[in-house]
Amino acid sequence: MMANVRHLNRDPEIYGADAAHFNPARFLDANREVILCATETKDDGHFTYGFGRRICVGKHVANNSLFIDFAVMLWACTFKPGKDESGKDIPIDVDGRIEHGVVVRPIPFKVDISALP
């Protein structure tokens, strides 16, 4: 049995009516400060690492590694939308199209990543 974590992380009762859409502002309070977590999700604010007695024991290592990786990429690179054949920017689909299956992943998209000089 596998829990439907994708649906749990998009529950409108916890995350609001726009739960299926990319909206980082939902995690900010009225003073634009980060809300630590939704009460229904315990400590993390999401169900990505599981729940209950079967929660991932390496979640702190994973979170810290992701933070370091993203911080280095944002420090060292620029990210721009990809270009089509005529040289126009391809709009980024922030809600993302995905491939469904046991492992859900985004459909490949074009992006221009370059190192800062």
Side-chain angles (χ1 to χ4, degrees):
M1 178 189 317
M2 293 181 65
N4 188 346
V5 175
R6 180 170 169 22
H7 178 74
L8 290 170
N9 282 329
R10 288 166 176 75
D11 187 353
E13 291 183 21
I14 297 173
Y15 300 106
D18 68 341
H21 300 288
F22 180 73
N23 179 14
R26 79 169 47 101
F27 298 103
L28 301 177
D29 63 14
N31 296 324
R32 310 295 289 172
E33 297 290 326
V34 175
I35 299 170
L36 295 179
C37 63
T39 56
E40 295 85 350
T41 61
K42 305 295 183 228
D43 297 330
D44 295 324
H46 57 82
F47 297 100
T48 306
Y49 296 118
F51 34 82
R53 293 174 51 184
R54 302 290 184 249
I55 198 158
C56 176
V57 296
K59 70 179 187 174
H60 301 294
V61 173
N63 279 336
N64 290 336
S65 296
L66 285 170
F67 177 82
I68 291 167
D69 292 342
F70 283 114
V72 169
M73 285 190 293
L74 291 171
W75 171 77
C77 301
T78 58
F79 297 84
K80 298 177 186 173
K83 306 275 186 195
D84 63 13
E85 294 79 23
S86 62
K88 294 183 181 177
D89 287 349
I90 299 173
I92 297 172
D93 180 12
V94 294
D95 290 325
R97 298 175 302 144
I98 58 171
E99 289 183 6
H100 294 280
V102 175
V103 176
V104 178
R105 66 185 184 104
I107 292 174
F109 56 92
K110 293 190 180 228
V111 64
D112 178 24
I113 303 172
S114 57
L116 292 172

